[in-house]
Amino acid sequence: MPSIDRKTSALPLLFTAGLLTAAPALAQSPGQPEPITIRAQGSFTVGGTVATAPGTFDPLKPLQPAGQTFHGDHLYTFYQVPVNPRKYPIVMWHGAGQFSKTWETTPDGREGFQNIFLRRHFATYVIDQPRRGNAGRSTIEATIKPTPDEQFWFGQFRLGIWPDYFDGVQFDRKPETLDQYFRQMTPNTGPFDAGLISDSVSALFAKIGPGILMTHSQSGGPGWLTAIKSRNVKAIVAFEPGSGFVFPQGELPKPVPTSFDTLEGTPVPMADFLALTKVPILIFYGDNIPAAPTEVPTQDAWRGRLEMARLWRDTVNKHGGQVSLVHLPEIGIRGNTHFPFSDLNNVEIADQVSQFLAAKGLD
Amino acid sequence: MPSIDRKTSALPLLFTAGLLTAAPALAQSPGQPEPITIRAQGSFTVGGTVATAPGTFDPLKPLQPAGQTFHGDHLYTFYQVPVNPRKYPIVMWHGAGQFSKTWETTPDGREGFQNIFLRRHFATYVIDQPRRGNAGRSTIEATIKPTPDEQFWFGQFRLGIWPDYFDGVQFDRKPETLDQYFRQMTPNTGPFDAGLISDSVSALFAKIGPGILMTHSQSGGPGWLTAIKSRNVKAIVAFEPGSGFVFPQGELPKPVPTSFDTLEGTPVPMADFLALTKVPILIFYGDNIPAAPTEVPTQDAWRGRLEMARLWRDTVNKHGGQVSLVHLPEIGIRGNTHFPFSDLNNVEIADQVSQFLAAKGLD
């Protein structure tokens, strides 16, 4: 176990209204965690499509496609319900190149948000979106190329600029930690389709009822679409949404150019957009995001994304929404990467989430 | 919940030596399961390779492969350790086209072997082998084609001969059950490589220490290889191993032709083979396997596999081994498919496993 300072930050807390409610959860002792008592756990798939080959199936020629079906494009989830669960479960949705592992054990072997929020008595649903991880069966053919790209991800996920870690970064520097980190990636097994995957998460909420949605990076955009499609999304906690910010038609911001790419808003009808003003939304960004343009693409990408996120927050709130954007260094929480929920200070980040949920009456 | 007869079979028990030990586990009440208390749970990867592109990484051109790495070909596992665990954990390894879900919730929504054996106080490691499911990152390129094939699997997995279920088959017939069943498949994301995947499971046993290995179908063969590579495999429970039976060089049986394919033994050096005589091995086959050749390939395939398994049992035991082969109908347990551990009578099957482990002093 790495040396981790788990004491609660003495800095001003973002949300204070629910502090008393959240306090018992913060009192967990480090090192020797208590057992977790699970009332129910399991897995299922939801959503998806079925393709059927023309013709008639012949049991004597079972390897010929004629008349056979193919189920694919569904979501897979593993869920756990603790004893005495809180009102709403939390649906945890990974980002690009990732799967459910995002929320499980951290790369250095500590507990991730799956366990942390189970301990705080939330039911958890960790998902693999359609065409990713355990939800790999895609109705559209794909070729998966093993292109070496990990030094890019080291930068894009803001551990540092390869081969250097950022000073004070909240990431354990043992080689085996980086090995686990790289191995928690898995490819798309079919085309990425924001409409399809948000349909599947919406179908999950239809099945399980009202709940809280956590998104990360690439799932941020489809997360907004899910809240538009499903009234069962009662709050969103978005970690570093990367793209897919939806704006009302006619209110798109000017594109934000960076040395990595150019960010643009995604237009949706006003009636859809207004659904996003009805739910509390908390957005986190970590540290080491430059304030001014830089030629390092993996750095500048996040300057642009943070700028777009602020424009989005302002637009939603102008229409009556409740979006809070927390740039962690601004509240004194430093060193976070693109994965605040698994960083060395992830209990402190979880405390921020708990305080938000308490403040909004969602726990 | 479907109507399930959970009472313990009154038929002669296969293993009686450990009955008293196993009895408390059998006493679980149906319908209202007790909570499961988990001392620790999480996930990690193990094994695998690293590819590196020639050249030098340039942070200003991060999307060019030069000098970048690619970690892949590892195994992924989700583990749970109950309070007061038994001596050995159980490693649960899926078959062809399947992933960890094999052992999780059954297609009709009941508890699978993951939960059943947690309740019996075994730590469980449910794995995705390299290039499958959550272990999707492969160092070798692959194209995934969505070929309609589910009526084949309906037959090959012995639910029946499409569109008819076998009379008395231990499979729930609700359409949504079959939908979940088909959706618990996921493709290979790289070439199937028995050496690579048995290396990774061997690496898992090196990490976790001595344990019990459960295999299913396609993992049967690599399971034998794992026991050859790792002394930490203390027993194997193999459900319907399909191919890859290893024999000593010079002692290969005659090939077994079927209307599906022709089965052949896999030669290994005698010294390797003898490792398989050192561990207790229990093999299960289910029902609806014809005794005589038939023109239906999905039926005849299993006649041949069962025949090869019997030849293998006899060869291992001739060299001093401890292989028990249970053809379930022969002990009065009828209707089982290719997935006895998730069939409607899976608690009865689990009881058979518990009795075996108790008889061998492995619980």
Side-chain angles (χ1 to χ4, degrees), chain A:
Chain A
M1 293 283 292
S3 166
I4 306 159
D5 183 358
R6 285 179 185 256
K7 74 174 189 291
T8 304
S9 171
L11 291 158
L13 287 159
L14 178 62
F15 299 97
T16 52
L19 191 54
L20 271 173
T21 314
L26 308 182
Q28 254 164 241
S29 68
Q32 288 288 339
E34 291 293 308
I36 302 173
T37 305
I38 304 291
R39 196 178 72 187
Q41 68 173 23
S43 63
F44 57 86
T45 62
V46 67
T49 55
V50 183
T52 306
T56 303
F57 175 68
D58 180 355
L60 297 185
K61 296 172 180 170
L63 296 179
Q64 295 186 1
Q68 299 209 52
T69 57
F70 185 96
H71 288 61
D73 302 342
H74 44 263
L75 168 160
Y76 163 85
T77 187
F78 182 76
Y79 70 91
Q80 294 183 290
V81 182
V83 292
N84 304 317
R86 293 181 193 257
K87 186 175 176 186
Y88 293 127
I90 302 177
V91 173
M92 299 182 175
W93 189 355
H94 57 76
Q98 306 285 317
F99 60 99
S100 57
K101 179 110 183 58
T102 290
W103 313 101
E104 298 166 3
T105 304
T106 66
D108 54 291
R110 292 169 299 109
E111 294 198 328
F113 267 26
Q114 180 185 43
N115 283 10
I116 289 171
F117 281 92
L118 276 171
R119 292 187 182 287
R120 297 183 185 191
H121 288 279
F122 289 90
T124 61
Y125 290 76
V126 292
I127 71 175
D128 290 351
Q129 74 189 22
R131 305 175 181 169
R132 186 79 60 77
N134 284 340
R137 202 155 161 96
S138 161
T139 60
I140 298 182
E141 180 173 326
T143 295
I144 304 176
K145 292 179 189 295
T147 306
D149 59 0
E150 291 166 344
Q151 284 59 35
F152 162 68
W153 293 118
F154 184 94
Q156 191 74 358
F157 292 162
R158 296 205 322 285
L159 307 193
I161 299 171
W162 184 267
D164 301 315
Y165 287 91
F166 291 127
D167 284 345
V169 70
Q170 296 276 3
F171 191 87
D172 174 69
R173 300 191 189 194
K174 288 194 297 293
E176 54 268 36
T177 297
L178 193 59
D179 183 87
Q180 287 290 315
Y181 189 68
F182 287 150
R183 293 184 189 282
Q184 75 178 31
M185 301 199 76
T186 202
N188 286 323
T189 56
F192 178 85
D193 181 333
L196 175 80
I197 64 180
S198 56
D199 279 348
S200 76
V201 182
S202 179
L204 174 63
F205 274 98
K207 183 177 171 71
I208 69 176
I212 296 154
L213 178 61
M214 279 189 187
T215 65
H216 177 220
S217 194
Q218 188 187 53
S219 62
W224 314 139
L225 298 179
T226 302
I228 289 171
K229 292 174 181 176
S230 174
R231 292 291 169 85
N232 279 343
V233 177
K234 294 302 179 193
I236 300 178
V237 179
F239 292 94
E240 299 217 341
S243 59
F245 287 102
V246 296
F247 289 85
Q249 282 160 351
E251 293 188 32
L252 261 69
K254 277 194 293 191
V256 178
T258 78
S259 63
F260 179 70
D261 59 0
T262 295
L263 294 150
E264 299 186 27
T266 301
V268 294
M270 178 60 86
D272 286 355
F273 179 81
L274 289 176
L276 297 170
T277 67
K278 309 301 184 197
V279 290
I281 295 175
L282 176 61
I283 302 176
F284 289 104
Y285 284 89
D287 204 349
N288 296 301
I289 297 175
T294 159
E295 64 177 356
V296 180
T298 54
Q299 282 278 283
D300 212 38
W302 292 105
R303 177 191 59 78
R305 283 154 174 73
L306 178 52
E307 183 176 329
M308 183 60 82
R310 286 174 171 142
L311 292 169
W312 186 77
R313 170 199 59 194
D314 295 343
T315 305
V316 178
N317 289 349
K318 186 181 76 183
H319 286 281
Q322 323 161 49
V323 177
S324 299
L325 191 159
V326 179
H327 185 200
L328 289 165
E330 292 174 10
I331 61 164
I333 300 178
R334 299 188 188 285
N336 281 103
T337 75
H338 186 50
F339 291 67
F341 41 78
S342 61
D343 280 341
L344 292 173
N345 63 344
N346 67 341
V347 171
E348 187 176 11
I349 303 300
D351 291 348
Q352 291 289 328
V353 173
S354 286
Q355 290 154 26
F356 164 75
L357 296 177
K360 300 298 183 183
L362 294 166
D363 62 350

